[in-house]
Amino acid sequence: MKGERQSCFYRCIIEGGTRVLKKIPVAVPVLNGNESKYVMDCIESTWISSNGSYIGRFEQQFADFCGVKHAVSCTSGTTALHLALLAHGVQAGDEIIMPTFSFIATANAVAYCGATPVFADSDPDTWNVDPASIVSKITDKTKGIIAVHLYGHPADMDRINEMAEHYGLFVLEDAAEAIGAEYKGKRTGSLGDSAVFSTFGNKIITTGEGGVFTTNQDELAAKARLLRGQGMDPDHRYWHPIIGYNYRMTNIQAAIGCAQMEKAEWHIAERIRVAGLYGEALQSLEGISLPVQKEWAKHVYWMYSVVLEGATEQQRDLVMRQLLELGIETRPFFYPMHTMPPYRHLQPDEDFPVSMKLCASGINLPSHALLTKEDIQWIADCLAKVLSRC
Ligand SMILES: *Cc1c(COP(=O)(O)O)cnc(C)c1O
């Protein structure tokens, strides 16, 4: 792939005499390393289940990459969150503070433990949880904080960690979208007491479905491993001192993960390349705000996102529909979790003005390693055209 970059997306092609529009997808997994070789190795060796050498290898690569002692692989980012919360001892009656602007899994994992998600508002610049909003939610039931590194930009970890220390809370990073992102030179996964990653098909590093829990604390890692494998005593086969889960990653998934991790720096550099091209192509377009990168942060741009200033949800959705007609797939920002049916009874009288505004007016543009400069210029031109009509 070096040197030239061949786009595999054609905006407008002639097929059998008719004009066909091909979509530019928001995300595609890029499997251009040793993925097939390692997967074939699993099949030929018959090590296709959750034993096999790729699992330990993937975990080691992941831990080394994040600069942490332990990485525990599992079936998804969501199960990694569940394992993390259980490892931290979260139980019924506990409150866990998190941004309302995140993917629903962050709250759901808390609900799985019988605990209560408590939502905080976001910072208008980074779109990440606002530490001042966290403080206002702390009660004597608060047990921990989940800091989400949204779309690849790290949360303001020093302020969150200081607060957590002051109130005796744990800090769990939801780094599902932010492998390789840095806070003051330190990588995500190493910034709180523990962290989780997702390796779903659209994430920066993928295993199809999958997740990873990371921590420097031996006890948390041991607990997560125990819970992942049906709670079976590691020194006593078929003896189960606790109720565990089957959250094990397969060797085939880990094989893909090993190949992905060998090229982790490349995958991340590609996201940053794409973001740089968008930044150039969109900088003079009026009426939109572009993602920021704080001076203390390295942003890895899982998604390249723009906010349509002052737009209502309907106006934003119209822009997305018009882009789709031009062959460009986009996604809306997540809906704030406090507005979702399972959670909207929790903080009915509270306002989340920043999140409400962002979530109604934000769009994720196509963000993946196969986008060429021409693709991005085309997307920027289409966005300009659509906005000029609004
Ligand atoms: C993707 C994602 C998850 C869940 O990961 P899965 O692997 O899809 O279960 C959790 N939190 C955030 C912020 C995510 O983006």
Side-chain angles (χ1 to χ4, degrees):
M1 276 216 130
K2 236 178 251 160
E4 69 179 287
R5 225 179 275 280
Q6 185 69 50
S7 174
C8 59
F9 309 109
Y10 298 95
R11 270 92 52 184
C12 186
I13 57 164
I14 309 295
E15 261 179 19
T18 41
R19 212 158 140 271
V20 178
L21 221 47
K22 281 269 160 91
K23 236 176 22 188
I24 301 184
V26 166
V28 273
V30 179
L31 309 167
N32 59 358
N34 286 319
E35 286 85 354
S36 14
K37 182 172 153 211
Y38 294 167
V39 167
M40 279 312 291
D41 182 38
C42 295
I43 292 169
E44 282 163 9
S45 68
T46 77
W47 288 96
I48 60 169
S49 196
S50 54
N51 280 319
S53 60
Y54 287 109
I55 293 162
R57 188 166 142 190
F58 174 60
E59 290 179 340
Q60 192 59 54
Q61 280 173 303
F62 214 98
D64 291 347
F65 184 86
C66 296
V68 290
K69 219 165 144 190
H70 304 283
V72 181
S73 62
C74 59
T75 50
S76 69
T78 308
T79 57
L81 278 165
H82 192 195
L83 290 175
L85 292 164
L86 293 169
H88 281 290
V90 173
Q91 53 191 8
D94 293 340
E95 293 179 354
I96 308 296
I97 301 173
M98 67 187 69
T100 186
F101 183 12
S102 178
F103 181 57
I104 196 71
T106 317
N108 286 350
V110 170
Y112 301 162
C113 301
T116 307
V118 175
F119 301 112
D121 205 2
S122 294
D123 172 88
D125 280 355
T126 64
W127 312 337
N128 278 316
V129 67
D130 175 1
S133 180
I134 296 178
V135 178
S136 69
K137 313 292 177 199
I138 295 174
T139 71
D140 53 6
K141 290 184 182 163
T142 309
K143 188 96 188 250
I145 300 167
I146 305 182
V148 183
H149 307 309
L150 199 75
Y151 299 137
H153 191 290
D156 190 353
M157 292 305 292
D158 278 356
R159 288 182 64 199
I160 294 170
N161 282 330
E162 277 162 25
M163 213 172 341
E165 195 166 346
H166 185 260
Y167 290 97
L169 312 174
F170 70 79
V171 176
L172 167 60
E173 298 170 74
D174 182 341
E177 306 176 357
I179 185 169
E182 290 174 16
Y183 178 79
K184 298 185 177 172
K186 272 184 80 187
R187 280 190 174 152
T188 56
S190 68
L191 303 170
D193 293 297
S194 67
V196 300
F197 293 84
S198 164
T199 53
F200 180 64
N202 70 6
K203 297 287 158 76
I204 297 176
I205 292 294
T206 188
T207 62
E209 290 274 6
V212 182
F213 170 71
T214 62
T215 182
N216 276 316
Q217 299 175 31
D218 299 345
E219 202 188 320
L220 289 177
K223 255 174 119 176
R225 284 186 189 283
L226 184 69
L227 287 158
R228 173 186 70 174
Q230 303 282 22
M232 186 165 79
D233 186 336
D235 303 318
H236 189 176
R237 266 187 105 194
Y238 296 107
W239 185 254
H240 304 265
I242 57 163
I243 298 175
Y245 301 82
N246 177 358
Y247 283 172
R248 296 182 301 265
M249 179 179 271
T250 67
N251 201 43
I252 302 175
Q253 289 167 300
I256 297 171
C258 287
Q260 291 269 299
M261 288 308 291
E262 288 169 0
K263 296 191 64 169
E265 304 281 359
W266 180 85
H267 287 284
I268 291 159
E270 285 299 294
R271 301 286 171 149
I272 294 169
R273 173 186 66 83
V274 164
L277 290 169
Y278 271 124
E280 279 171 38
L282 295 171
Q283 63 181 350
S284 54
L285 188 57
E286 292 194 7
I288 60 169
S289 355
L290 305 182
V292 300
Q293 177 173 253
K294 287 284 182 188
E295 61 288 354
W296 39 260
K298 178 182 175 182
H299 195 326
V300 287
Y301 302 96
W302 170 56
M303 288 286 158
Y304 190 87
S305 313
V306 297
V307 170
L308 310 182
E309 287 160 14
T312 62
E313 196 175 321
Q314 289 76 10
Q315 288 167 327
R316 186 270 313 271
D317 291 351
L318 181 65
V319 168
M320 290 177 56
R321 270 202 307 282
Q322 295 191 359
L323 286 171
L324 189 62
E325 281 165 18
L326 292 164
I328 298 161
E329 188 196 24
T330 57
R331 303 239 168 101
F333 276 16
F334 302 123
Y335 296 104
M337 296 189 293
H338 76 275
T339 65
M340 303 272 184
Y343 301 118
R344 64 187 172 203
H345 64 285
L346 293 173
Q347 292 157 269
D349 303 323
E350 290 181 42
D351 293 328
F352 300 86
V354 177
S355 306
M356 291 302 283
K357 214 168 120 195
L358 287 171
C359 294
S361 56
I363 298 182
N364 303 131
L365 298 175
S367 308
H368 56 78
L370 300 183
L371 291 164
T372 65
K373 189 169 181 190
E374 292 68 39
D375 291 327
I376 290 165
Q377 191 57 53
W378 160 259
I379 295 165
D381 292 346
C382 288
L383 184 60
K385 194 159 97 186
V386 166
L387 290 177
S388 73
R389 286 192 216 136
C390 291

